[in-house]
Each structure stands twice: as C-alpha cells, then as structure tokens.
Amino acid sequence: MNLIVRQAEEKDIKPMAEMDILCFTAPWSEDSFRKEIEENPLAFYIVAEIDDRMVGYAGLWCIVDEGHITNVAIHPLFRRKGIGEALVSVLLEHTAQNGIRSYTLEVRVSNAPAISLYSKFGFESAGLRKNYYEDNGEDAIIMWRKS
Ligand SMILES: CC(C)(COP(=O)(O)OP(=O)(O)OC[C@H]1O[C@@H](n2cnc3c(N)ncnc32)[C@H](O)[C@@H]1OP(=O)(O)O)[C@@H](O)C(=O)NCCC(=O)NCCS
C-alpha cells in the first residue's frame, strides 16, 4: 500500500466534503471545508492518498498550546488498514513540534472504533457533553491527551 500523507490544499476541498458524506451523519459542507483550508489560520488539515486517490483526512485547530481535533475520516473501503492511526500520528507529531502540548476532541458515545483509535494514542475520557449532536441528540464524550 503506497500511502502518502500530506497537508490539505485547495484541490482537496471537494473530495474532503465528499468523504464527509460517506463518513458522517452530519457532514460538513464544501463551504465549511473551504473556510477551514483557505481562511482559518488556526486550522491544520492533512489528507491520506493511495495512488492519487484521497482515502482519508484529519484535522485540528491549534489554540495556543492546545490541539482541538475536529475530524478524522477514512473512506469506508479503506478502513482497518492502519490509515486512521497513521493520520492521527502525523497530526500529533507535526503539531507537537509546533508547540501543541495537549489535545482534546469530542466523539459520539456510540463511536467505538473512534474511541478505540484515540485511546491508543493516550486520549482519556474527561466527561460528557449531553445532547451534543443535533442530528440525534447523542451525547459526546470529551477526551483529552495531556503531555
Ligand atoms: C474511526 C476511523 C477514523 C478509524 O479509521 P481506520 O483507518 O479504520 O483505523 P485504523 O485501521 O488505523 O485502526 C486504528 C485503531 O482504531 C481502532 N479501530 C478502528 N476501527 C475499529 C473498529 N471497527 N472497531 C474497533 N476498533 C477500531 C482500533 O483501536 C485500531 O487499532 P487496532 O488495529 O490495533 O485494533 C474510521 O472508522 C472512520 O472514518 N469512521 C467514520 C468517521 C468517524 O467516526 N471519525 C471519528 C470521529 S471524529
């Protein structure tokens, strides 16, 4: 598997939005991705490619010395191949080199694959946000990874 991980750029906006539709019940719009990639100075997004095809992406906001992970999404046909883990690893390593000391995220309580992925990187549950997700009222687990 010839996996390439690189920083997201303008050409990735449409494929990222298409990926979101495949991966999330409440996907972000193309416009949201455009704002993230082109306008948000706090945002850092990376994409994973195999043979020039985007198979996943991940991103976070760098707020002072905290990284707030926004999304990690892997195309359904490319899951369980270590790509999600590779993306989180690059995200953490790159931003740690740029001064990020702790990381946080919200994840649906039902999302066992993602909770397991983040736990592998030392993220721990730090509480719940009740009814956090508007589409179904599901609670979010707040996870933190502190150095
Ligand atoms: C969660 C997600 C990103 C995992 O990506 P992936 O490339 O399949 O994950 P990897 O193959 O790198 O697996 C890494 C670890 O994640 C966990 N994991 C991944 N899929 C899992 C599953 N179906 N069940 C349980 N654990 C799982 C495991 O801990 C795994 O480590 P292991 O292989 O040693 O068991 C992917 O399932 C996805 O895109 N889901 C939909 C979008 C989403 O929910 N994103 C996260 C919320 S922001």
Side-chain angles (χ1 to χ4, degrees), residues 23-24 69-75 78-86 106-107 111-114 116-118 120:
C23 293
F24 296 108
I69 294 183
T70 55
N71 276 340
V72 180
I74 305 299
H75 189 291
F78 289 85
R79 290 185 188 159
R80 303 254 49 183
K81 298 177 189 301
I83 301 171
E85 195 167 331
E106 285 97 15
V107 59
N111 195 344
S116 177
L117 169 65
Y118 298 133
K120 274 188 97 168

Side-chain angles (χ1 to χ4, degrees), residues 8 12-38 40 42-46 57-61 68-73 105-106 108 118 132-135:
D12 301 313
I13 290 168
K14 195 161 184 280
M16 287 168 87
E18 289 167 355
M19 184 76 64
D20 247 39
I21 291 168
L22 293 175
C23 293
F24 296 108
T25 50
W28 283 7
S29 66
E30 207 172 307
D31 195 43
S32 300
F33 281 105
R34 188 167 302 285
K35 289 200 172 96
E36 288 288 88
I37 306 286
E38 296 191 333
N40 185 352
L42 305 178
F44 176 66
Y45 282 83
I46 54 177
Y57 81 88
L60 85 178
W61 296 331
H68 292 241
I69 294 183
T70 55
N71 276 340
V72 180
L105 56 88
E106 285 97 15
R108 289 178 191 262
Y118 298 133
Y132 183 72
Y133 295 97
E134 285 177 10
D135 59 334

Side-chain angles (χ1 to χ4, degrees), residues 133-147:
Y133 295 97
E134 285 177 10
D135 59 334
N136 65 352
E138 190 171 351
D139 298 345
I141 302 177
I142 306 162
M143 299 186 88
W144 277 94
R145 176 189 196 258
K146 307 215 174 182
S147 56

